[in-house]
């Protein structure tokens, strides 16, 4: 009844509203009306809105808690259909169509278009394309224009869009006084702030401190400057828990000035990584490195780079490396020094680099294996063609000296300027984040800080344990925390402000090489959140800041409308990269190396950035939590990784629960035995065990257990990266099903031998020499009878014939493809228990195999999508024909025909089929299985679904479709334009996001297509092809380029074989 | 008579001649106005178990298949194991009534009736599972060729589709066979009925049978034809069930030996179940005179024979795996015997191959209680055989990355145990209301009937070698 | 009942005779008796035994039944059904590509052929047997004979019917006596018990058959009747999707729209729109362009396109010739609404003079109550329309002199 005319009015006002929206924005920032408006009522300030609003603390309606009576009533008024749905749910649900009364130019309903934006983590931005469907971002891709991305994106980029639609995000300004939580509004906060700032102005800002996440945003930094000008006494502290100071300090040590180092791996013939996982997305410019490093791993070019990895844990680069040496992280500096000593002895080094220093007296260096490795490595590095064509990369966990040594070694080998470059790091702080935070905490404890503004971050959770930041925070009068979630820190600060997700924000940020990308919003803030720079603007007295204006003001060079539009469209400011410099290296004696008393007593503990949830910021992201970790294949948990021998020494068994003790602090978590892990070294990833992350990542208040163990609990400021003398006590095996997707239980002797026996056939591998001698050596690995068929196939696939080629030599196992697939195909999250029971739904999995002895096991990765067999075993066993072949050779699933006999899965040799054992989307579909829900949180959650793909219900089988929706869309486009489909126009989600271009999809009938030529290559083979399934997916064999000096002795091999 | 108070069935049958005594011995079980307390207790217990069965199924249907332990790669867990197990049980009955009939094994007349009943009830139990184990239990009719405007037909290449037809055909034919056999006995019940209800009820199912010789002539012809039809059918059913596995690509399933292997196993398990039911039945319902020790012994002999066949198949599987040289095949069988599920495998071996060998001793195979015990062991073993074939093979197939370990949930156990509730509920009702022994056939092979032939010249059929027993039993 | 039947049988004379019943104790007695009766050439007689007495068939001279042939026929039809069904469903009516196998290949279809053959035969066997024995037979005169109840227990009976041509009460009686029966009894015709089924049974059948029609009736009604309420749909597996297709309803947003407006200031990839001439119809000095942009080829392809688009978007108001006399305009004029601003005649002079850029701008952003067509019509198409408008303007006020000579010739 009233709902109807309400709708009418809203429809009426809409057109004017849109007409006026720009005008209003132009009116300037002092108006109280929001520039981003989501509710017409909000925009119009219509009477009934004002009436309601006054009741609800003058808050925009959509910002009040969804379960409050006001919201309920409002929902009833607005959504007649919902109550209807509630009443007779057993009737067919009616769908309403609500078009915009005036469609913006270029927006076509039902078709998606990309917007360029960028995501910044730890001060480094990666340019992205966000696909906008109906004005909603639904999928993230890499921005091909961006130097780091080049079209690729990491798992956490892919998953960030889920974070946007996270119903756990904080929905309103919250004020806390004496433990009492009171929902407030931006308007109120405005008042508070103005009172505050008058006081601060008079005090010239003394007592004001801004604690910021690391950011490279020019806008933010400009505002920082303006703030410090306005409040001379104010302090600005940057803290990033995963920021390691080694590189900066090392550069200061080596050059006396902070520089950033860049590697050109695609020009390097020899690569040495010292504890540096250079291809990991969390590594600076990791995506770019991955692409560059794998470029020289194509044997077809006849030449391959040779990669040496020295590290304590298995890393992504280890999968690529030809030789790997597992050493404690804390011992690696000895190796660096050894190299330096022996190289500077060999190379007639430039005199200003100082005298060659003596080889360190570290015991383990005498080890025959290490010696062999080092001398072989030296042989390669000093080979004349390799001079100036090698890279020595040092990892973030290494101390300053090792970085300095790294710079020096590159200098000695003549790499600087050819494969290694430096740029000035103008924004670099002069102390480490930890030091800065330490001094801040000291001041807080001393009561010198009256106002603390925290721009993002979660220090209460992730600050070093010994600082006890939480207590210090209690001593601050006014603490303001801007964050996406009401997290641990918000709970202890006096004011919490909802932050805007980057997909809701205007902003800018730099990549490692300084290239500036513009951050564009894809959707108005769902919960009225604001960005850090908007908050700063408020702090500087702007009433209602406009993010767009703030950014534009920072870039006067782009003021011209054309230039600006071009920049937005491209996403990056062309040529904004920082100038490369050739810094002058200080003589060695100017930075004395610390002693090498490397005791092999006790074990070290390495704190590592988590590849999925980084420092814990993504802890509430279900896609990332469910994503199996690259090596342990662990999801929904973290574990301390121990080498087999050390585990034996410590009396720890696989999947034990262990307690780590460090300086009186301790944490208990799962222990996993990691083949190839360095003896005496333990590794634990940060970011887990959060208590106030949300309904996914742990919410103790609602008795939702934290996920995994919290490494910060034992991480102190003095043992920040690598801790020595950690105590390990095993609590024995606990009744716990490890939520891992591979080797879910001890495989046992039979299993291991069986795996070892078939591994060479599954992941076929050879050396460059073998390949050159016999390019089609893969054919002979499996011998089988000629593959004859009883039948003449009913179809000869004219037209399109889709196929895929996966290069095992390029796959680094980063699993970005897995999350991309999940985002593209509405793959449900099943949760910890179901993963533990082996019911994960991921269509694409990256298999991880270890080969060789456990102490130094080599790792190999193999992505397994549906192989789209032409003679698909799954099809003939389905009693209802719910899976059958298309005329383009796709093995299609017909969901609504499937009754779930699961026979197809039994008969699939690759086990790529996934079954909905429960209705995993229940919370978005309904309370009971079959009634639509009207919970607004569910409505937010449901926005994540890709409208192009069916959301599967319970009891249905599903699997990889080669992204058939993308195929069809492109086919339709091509048909309308009356043109052929060029190669590489259709790209599957996994292919699109792959940083190393390992996955290639295309039409096998098109002779010029890449996939066709790749599948014709001699090292291309079909997995389990001997079953005569004719899979459409083929793999390119791994080709290694080992150093002959390190070739394994032949005899023992024979014995084993 | 203290005993006869507890159990009215023990006292010797009354009647002027042997025919009357046979009639009395069988009919009084159904005619006693109030069955002994023991029956009620047993029935009540069966009802409880049945309730557990239904509730567990309801739980699964409401929440999803995930309530069971099924996972990837073990997409078929307990439900299909139970299905194959029950189908196997459901073989002995038709086998006894059809094949032994064609083989002129007259001793079958003592046991065929409730063996057939057991068959049908077992098939009913089996029939529950395929429908419920599917992901969307409200759609099993998609598997039937029902005309629909979307032209969605079943996919006839699928062994599951063959199952649908095989099992439903088998169920239908078994019921027809069972019912046809009971028509004359229903007539007997009708004519002895003392209450209108009984007379009308039995009258309807007896269809006005009056035992005219012209009717008997066509009746016997029809019975012979049905037997001839049922014989290949009973062999085909479990062969078709075995196709579910034999036609699949999975190592451990992909074996041509499966059809005979499964049929042998089915007969093996089926006879074991007959014995398990026969021993208490003859003890309790006073049928010792009709189901004699010799009958048990004959069945035990069949159990030894089929047990050896099954053992041979187990061995042959290993041989073929080794001989084929298939890497994956070989691994599967090594893994079966020594992998994580070795315990299941060795349970199967000891129950199915070792323990039945005790029947070589006459003392054991002629003792009802040892017979019963061994029968139980065999049934356990046969369940584990299906578990080993299905679950163990699935846990470790081609790619080690997709290996898993199957752990059943409590619901799994409830469903398995509950299915016995359904079985025994039906069986107890059968004992109470239907003729447990084919009276007309027993009479036909009794010596009294035989006296006729001396005068009647040549024998139409049945050179009854066994004509001694019923007499001996009845006189005792 | 049994008592009443006892009393009845005590005075047999009342009812006409049905036949003579003789009772025997043992199988071989009745076999002998049967042989006697057979030799006497009787036809309407039968023996009743608790089990199939061996040798009685010969003794009575019963001919072999045709049952096997009926069953054979049924089996063959089952086989045919299976073959046709599988071929039609999987290979003809809805051919599927399954595992790269041919649409129709016998081996996979054998099991079901076998099963259906057996199924059809088995059902036929039972049904045919009953029909040949004309069962069910609710009542029979013998039911009134008390002793006959033993025929299914331990006694053997022989009945010679009175309707037999050779029947003669005394002679037949004598003949039967000569077979030394235990007892002989005259069986009267049965008038008491009605010949049709008991009413309970009939009602039961009627109710069941009616009930079985109901669902079909409902289905039929559902098919041929209309309703405004959405249909009942209890299990909404995947039919009610949580995802938001284009322009759907999402109550999370106050305007209930799942479609969100594009935020002002944002630019999608590849939508720089740098070329003002093309996108805005303006020149560098921001004045309206007098020429067509380079992107628009001035050829008849564009002209055709323009004509077509004009027909779709413009004619409703402006009319085929652009005279402002479109259908909408006519109707609106008819309504005599003061508010109505009539669409302008696009061939008027000031519009002829108007720069193309301005025309394009008008198309894009609208004027007076003409809506903006920017969002709806692609840029190229808008230019094509402008081009067509120019052509219209040219053609409307055209003079004969403007025509090419040959065309001019065609005028009179």
């Amino acid at each position: 009844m009233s709902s109807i005319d309400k709708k009418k009015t809203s429809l009426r006002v809409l057109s004017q509203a849109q007409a006026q929206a720009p005008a209003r924005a132009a009116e300037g920032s002092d108006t109280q009306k929001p520039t981003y408006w989501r509710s017409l009522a909000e925009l119009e300030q219509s009477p009934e809105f004002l009436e309601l609003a006054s009741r609800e603390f003058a808050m925009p309606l959509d910002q009040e808690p969804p379960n409050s009576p006001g919201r309920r009533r409002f929902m009833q008024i607005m959504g007649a259909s919902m109550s209807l749905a509630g009443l007779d749910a057993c009737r067919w649900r009616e769908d309403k169509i609500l078009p915009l009364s005036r469609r913006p130019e270029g927006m076509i309903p039902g078709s998606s278009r990309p917007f360029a934006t960028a995501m910044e983590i730890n001060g480094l931005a990666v340019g992205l394309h966000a696909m906008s469907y109906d004005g909603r971002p639904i999928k993230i891709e890499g921005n091909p224009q961006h130097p780091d991305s080049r079209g690729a994106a990491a798992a956490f980029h892919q998953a960030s869009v889920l974070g946007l639609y996270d119903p756990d995000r904080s929905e309103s300004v919250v004020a806390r006084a004496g433990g009492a939580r009171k929902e407030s509004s931006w308007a109120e906060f405005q008042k508070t702030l103005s009172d505050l700032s008058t006081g601060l102005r008079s005090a010239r800002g003394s007592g004001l401190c801004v604690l910021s996440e690391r950011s490279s945003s020019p806008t933010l930094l400009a505002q920082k400057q303006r703030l410090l000008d306005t409040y001379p006494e104010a302090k600005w502290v940057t803290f990033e828990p995963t920021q390691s100071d080694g590189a900066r300090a090392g550069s200061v040590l080596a050059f006396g000035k902070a520089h950033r180092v860049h590697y050109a791996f695609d020009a390097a013939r020899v690569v040495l990584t010292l504890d540096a996982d250079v291809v990991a997305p969390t590594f600076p410019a990791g995506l770019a490195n991955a692409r560059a490093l794998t470029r020289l791993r194509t044997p077809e070019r006849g030449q391959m780079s040779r990669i040496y990895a020295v590290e304590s844990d298995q890393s992504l680069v280890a999968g690529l490396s030809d030789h790997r040496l597992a050493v404690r992280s804390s011992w690696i500096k000895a190796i660096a020094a050894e190299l330096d000593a022996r190289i500077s002895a060999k190379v007639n080094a430039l005199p200003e680099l100082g005298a060659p220093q003596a080889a360190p007296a570290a015991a383990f260096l005498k080890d025959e294996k290490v010696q062999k490795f080092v001398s072989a490595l030296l042989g390669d590095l000093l080979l004349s063609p390799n001079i100036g064509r090698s890279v020595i990369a040092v990892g973030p966990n290494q101390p300053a000296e090792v970085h300095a040594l790294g710079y020096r070694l590159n200098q000695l080998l003549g790499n600087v300027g050819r494969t290694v470059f430096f740029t000035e790091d103008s924004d670099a702080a002069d102390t480490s984040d930890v030091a800065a935070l330490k001094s801040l905490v000291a001041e807080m404890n001393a009561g010198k800080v009256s106002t603390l503004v925290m721009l993002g971050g979660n220090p209460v959770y992730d600050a070093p344990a010994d600082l006890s930041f939480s207590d210090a925070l209690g001593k601050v009068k006014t603490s303001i925390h801007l964050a996406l979630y009401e997290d641990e820190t918000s709970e202890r600060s006096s004011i919490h402000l909802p932050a805007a997700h980057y997909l809701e924000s205007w902003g800018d940020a730099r990549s490692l090489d300084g290239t500036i990308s513009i951050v564009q919003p894809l959707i108005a803030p769902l919960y009225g959140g604001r960005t850090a720079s908007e908050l700063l603007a408020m702090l500087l007295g702007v009433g209602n800041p406009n993010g767009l204006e703030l950014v534009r003001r920072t870039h006067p060079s782009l003021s011209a409308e054309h230039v600006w539009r071009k920049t937005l469209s491209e996403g990056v400011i062309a040529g904004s990269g920082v100038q490369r410099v050739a810094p002058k290296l200080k003589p060695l004696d100017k930075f004395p190396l610390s002693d090498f008393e490397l005791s092999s007593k006790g074990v070290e503990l390495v704190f590592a950035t988590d590849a999925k949830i980084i420092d814990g910021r993504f802890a509430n992201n279900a896609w990332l939590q469910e994503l199996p970790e690259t090596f342990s294949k662990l999801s929904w948990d973290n574990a301390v990784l121990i080498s087999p021998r050390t585990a034996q020494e410590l009396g720890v068994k696989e999947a034990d629960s262990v307690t780590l003790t460090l300086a009186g602090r301790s944490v208990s978590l799962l222990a996993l035995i990691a083949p190839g892990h360095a003896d005496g070294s333990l590794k634990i990833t940060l970011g887990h065990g959060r208590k106030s992350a949300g309904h996914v990542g742990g919410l103790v208040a609602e008795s939702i257990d934290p996920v995994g163990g919290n490494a910060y609990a034992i991480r102190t400021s003095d043992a920040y990266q690598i801790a020595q003398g950690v105590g390990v006590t095993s609590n024995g095996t606990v009744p716990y099903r490890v939520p891992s997707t591979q080797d879910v239980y001890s495989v046992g002797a039979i299993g291991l031998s069986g795996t070892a026996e078939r591994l060479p056939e599954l992941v076929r591998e050879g050396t460059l020499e073998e390949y050159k001698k016999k390019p089609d050596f893969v054919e002979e690995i499996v011998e089988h009878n000629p593959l004859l068929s009883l039948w003449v196939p009913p179809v000869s696939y004219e037209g399109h014939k889709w196929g895929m080629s996966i290069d095992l030599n390029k796959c680094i196992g980063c699993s970005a493809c897995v999350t991309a697939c999940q985002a593209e195909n509405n793959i449900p999250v099943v949760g910890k228990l179901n993963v533990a029971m082996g019911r994960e739904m991921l269509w694409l999995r990256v298999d991880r195999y270890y080969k060789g002895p456990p102490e130094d096991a080599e790792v190999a990765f193999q992505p397994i999508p549906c192989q789209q067999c032409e003679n698909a075993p799954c099809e003939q066993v389905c009693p209802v024909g719910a899976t059958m072949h298309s005329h383009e050779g796709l093995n299609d699933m017909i969901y609504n025909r499937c009754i779930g006999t699961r026979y197809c899965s039994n008969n699939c040799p690759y086990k790529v089929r996934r079954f909905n054992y429960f209705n995993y989307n229940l919370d978005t579909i309904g309370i009971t299985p079959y009634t639509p829900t009207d919970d607004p949180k569910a409505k937010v959650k449901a926005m994540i679904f890709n409208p192009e793909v069916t959301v599967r219900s319970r009891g249905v089988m599903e699997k990889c479709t080669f992204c058939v929706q993308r195929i069809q869309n492109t086919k339709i486009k091509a048909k309308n334009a009356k043109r052929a489909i060029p190669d590489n126009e259709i790209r599957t989600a996994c292919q699109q996001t792959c940083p190393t271009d390992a996955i290639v999809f295309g039409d096998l009938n098109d002779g010029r297509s890449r996939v066709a030529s790749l599948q014709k290559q001699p090292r291309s083979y079909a997995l389990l092809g001997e079953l005569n399934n004719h899979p459409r997916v083929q793999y390119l064999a791994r080709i290694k380029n080992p150093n002959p000096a390190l070739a394994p002795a032949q005899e023992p091999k024979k014995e084993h074989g | 008579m203290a005993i006869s108070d507890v159990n009215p069935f023990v006292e010797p049958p009354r009647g002027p001649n042997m025919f009357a005594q046979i009639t009395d011995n069988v009919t009084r079980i159904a005619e006693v106005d109030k069955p002994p307390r023991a029956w009620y207790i047993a029935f009540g217990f069966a009802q409880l178990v049945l309730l557990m069965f239904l509730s567990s199924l309801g739980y699964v249907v409401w929440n999803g298949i995930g309530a069971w332990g099924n996972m990837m790669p073990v997409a078929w867990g307990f439900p299909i194991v139970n299905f194959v197990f029950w189908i196997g049980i459901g073989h002995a009955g038709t086998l006894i009534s059809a094949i032994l009939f064609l083989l002129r094994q007259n001793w079958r007349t003592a046991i065929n009736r409730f063996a057939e009943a057991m068959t049908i009830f077992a098939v009913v139990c089996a029939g529950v599972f395929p429908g419920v184990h599917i992901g969307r239990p409200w759609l099993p009719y998609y598997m039937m060729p029902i005309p629909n405007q979307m032209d969605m037909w079943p996919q006839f290449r699928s062994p599951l589709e063959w199952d649908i037809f095989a099992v439903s055909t088998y169920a239908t034919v078994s019921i027809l066979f069972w019912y046809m056999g009971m028509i004359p006995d229903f007539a007997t019940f009708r004519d002895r009925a003392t209450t209108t209800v009984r007379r009308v009820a039995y009258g309807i199912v007896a269809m006005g049978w009056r035992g005219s010789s012209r009717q008997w002539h066509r009746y016997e012809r029809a019975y012979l034809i049905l037997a001839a039809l049922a014989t290949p059918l009973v062999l085909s059913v479990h062969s078709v069930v075995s196709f579910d596995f034999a036609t699949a690509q999975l190592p451990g399933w992909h074996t041509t030996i499966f059809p005979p292997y499964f049929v042998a196993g089915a007969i093996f398990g089926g006879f074991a179940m007959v014995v398990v039911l026969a021993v208490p039945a003859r003890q309790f319902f006073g049928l010792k005179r009709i189901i004699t020790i010799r009958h048990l012994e004959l069945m035990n002999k069949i159990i030894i024979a089929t047990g050896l066949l099954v053992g041979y198949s187990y061995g042959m599987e290993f041989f073929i795996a080794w001989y084929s040289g298939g890497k994956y095949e070989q691994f599967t069988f090594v893994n079966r015997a020594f992998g994580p599920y070795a315990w299941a495998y060795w349970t199967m071996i000891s129950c199915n191959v070792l323990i039945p060998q005790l029947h070589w001793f006459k003392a054991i195979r002629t003792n009802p209680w040892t017979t019963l015990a061994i029968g139980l062991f065999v049934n356990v073993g046969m369940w584990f055989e299906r578990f080993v074939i299905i679950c163990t093979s699935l846990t470790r197939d081609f790619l080690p990355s997709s290996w898993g370990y199957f752990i059943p949930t409590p619901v799994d156990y409830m469903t398995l145990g509950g299915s016995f509730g359904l079985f025994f509920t039906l069986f107890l009702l059968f004992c109470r209301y239907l003729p447990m022994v084919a009276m007309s056939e027993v009479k036909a092979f009794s010596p009294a009937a035989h006296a006729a032939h001396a005068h009647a010249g040549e024998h139409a059929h049945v050179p009854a070698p066994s004509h001694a027993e019923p007499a001996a039993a009845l006189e005792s | 009942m049994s008592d009443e039947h006892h009393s009845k049988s005590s005075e047999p004379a009342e009812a006409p005779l049905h036949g003579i019943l003789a009772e025997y104790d043992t199988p071989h007695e009745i076999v002998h008796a049967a042989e006697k009766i057979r030799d006497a050439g009787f036809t309407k007689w039968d023996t009743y035994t608790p089990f199939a007495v061996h040798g009685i068939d010969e003794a009575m001279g019963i001919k072999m039944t045709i049952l096997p042939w009926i069953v054979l026929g049924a089996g063959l039809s089952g086989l045919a059904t299976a073959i046709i069904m599988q071929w039609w469903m999987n290979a003809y009516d809805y051919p599927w590509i399954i595992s790269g196998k041919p649409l129709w290949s016998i081996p996979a279809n054998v099991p079901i052929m076998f099963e259906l053959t057996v199924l059809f035969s088995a059902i036929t066997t039972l049904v045919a047997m009953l029909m040949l024995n004309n069962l069910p037979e609710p009542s029979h005169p013998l039911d009134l004979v008390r002793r006959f109840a033993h025929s299914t227990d331990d006694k053997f009976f022989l009945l010679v019917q009175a309707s037999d041509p050779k029947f003669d009460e005394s002679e037949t009686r004598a003949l039967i006596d000569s077979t030394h029966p235990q007892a002989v009894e005259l069986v009267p015709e049965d008038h008491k018990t009605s010949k049709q089924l008991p009413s309970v049974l009939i009602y039961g059948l009627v109710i069941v058959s009616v009930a079985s029609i109901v669902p079909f009736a409902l289905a039929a009604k559902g098919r041929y009747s209309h309703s405004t309420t959405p249909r009942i749909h209890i299990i909404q597996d995947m039919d009610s999707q949580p995802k938001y297709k284009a322009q759907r309803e999402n109550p999370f947003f106050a305007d209930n729209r799942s479609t969100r407006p594009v935020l002002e200031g944002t630019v999608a990839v590849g939508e720089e729109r740098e070329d003002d001439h093309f996108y805005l119809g303006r020149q560098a000095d921001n004045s309206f362009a007098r020429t067509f942009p380079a992107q628009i080829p001035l050829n008849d392809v564009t002209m055709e396109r323009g004509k077509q688009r004009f027909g779709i978007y413009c004619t409703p108001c402006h009319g085929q010739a652009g005279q402002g006399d479109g259908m909408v305009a006519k109707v609106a004029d008819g309504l005599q609404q003061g508010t109505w601003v009539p669409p302008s005649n696009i061939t008027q002079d000031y519009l002829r003079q108007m720069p193309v850029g301005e025309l394009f701008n008008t198309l894009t952003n609208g004027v007076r109550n003409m809506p903006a067509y920017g969002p709806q019509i692609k840029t190229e198409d808008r230019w094509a329309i402008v081009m067509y408008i120019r052509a219209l303007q040219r053609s409307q006020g055209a003079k004969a002199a403007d025509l090419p000579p040959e065309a001019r010739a065609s005028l009179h």
Side-chain angles (χ1 to χ4, degrees), chain B residues 64-211:
Chain B
I65 300 306
W68 283 322
N70 301 40
M71 36 82 81
M72 297 301 175
V74 186
W76 282 359
F78 272 24
I80 295 297
V81 174
N82 302 343
F83 165 71
V84 182
F85 170 74
W86 279 118
I87 281 287
I89 297 297
H91 271 57
T94 317
L95 181 102
I96 291 168
S97 35
I99 297 185
L100 296 189
F101 177 77
L102 296 180
L103 297 177
R104 305 271 202 265
Q105 295 299 312
N106 306 329
W107 56 273
R108 67 179 261 290
T109 57
I111 51 167
N112 71 331
R113 173 63 45 77
F114 74 78
E116 289 165 25
M118 178 206 75
T119 291
I120 287 152
F121 304 149
V123 172
V124 168
C125 293
V128 172
F129 287 100
V132 181
H133 102 287
I134 62 174
R136 302 204 280 168
W138 44 92
L139 294 178
Y141 66 88
Y142 276 12
M143 289 189 278
M144 313 288 177
I146 300 169
N148 57 79
Q149 70 266 54
M150 281 183 261
D151 277 3
M152 297 193 303
W153 303 115
Q155 202 274 99
F156 290 107
R157 289 182 187 282
S158 167
L160 278 186
E161 193 59 32
W162 306 343
D163 265 5
I164 299 290
F165 281 82
V167 173
S168 49
T169 305
Y170 184 59
T172 317
V173 174
S174 307
I175 291 169
L176 294 181
F177 206 30
W178 189 50
Y179 172 68
M180 186 166 154
M182 280 193 293
I183 289 178
D185 295 347
F186 282 139
T188 313
F189 276 34
R190 176 199 60 204
D191 294 345
R192 295 169 54 90
T194 49
T195 69
T196 322
V197 178
R198 287 180 70 90
R199 191 172 62 252
V200 171
Y202 287 119
I204 289 173
V205 284
M207 290 211 199
W209 177 266
R210 285 178 185 76

Side-chain angles (χ1 to χ4, degrees), chain A residues 648-672:
Chain A
Q648 209 170 11
E649 288 163 6
L650 295 171
V652 177
K653 291 185 303 309
E654 177 84 339
D656 273 7
S657 146
V658 296
T659 305
L660 304 179
T661 320
L662 201 58
R665 301 182 181 80
S666 69
V667 61
S668 299
L669 73 166
L670 178 74
L672 288 180

Side-chain angles (χ1 to χ4, degrees), chain C residues 207-220:
Chain C
I207 290 166
V208 167
S209 43
V210 168
S212 61
I213 296 169
V214 171
F216 297 101
L218 287 178

Side-chain angles (χ1 to χ4, degrees), chain A residues 758 761 839 847 903 907 954, chain B residues 61 68 244 249 327 401:
Chain A
R758 58 186 72 175
E761 298 185 359
R839 293 169 178 172
D847 289 351
Y903 197 177
N907 210 27
R954 110 184 202 213
Chain B
V61 169
W68 283 322
D244 288 347
Q249 230 170 0
K327 181 187 281 92
S401 58

Side-chain angles (χ1 to χ4, degrees), chain B residues 329-350:
Chain B
E329 199 72 18
Q330 286 170 354
F331 174 82
T332 301
F333 284 94
V334 175
N335 183 55
R336 234 180 231 186
F338 307 107
Y341 282 113
W343 56 272
Y345 181 78
W346 294 111
T347 316
M348 167 185 100
I349 291 289
S350 39

Side-chain angles (χ1 to χ4, degrees), chain C residues 304-315:
Chain C
E304 266 312 305
R305 181 73 179 169
K307 182 178 182 203
Q308 184 207 25
R309 298 287 111 178
F310 183 90
I312 293 169
Y313 290 104
C314 313
T315 46

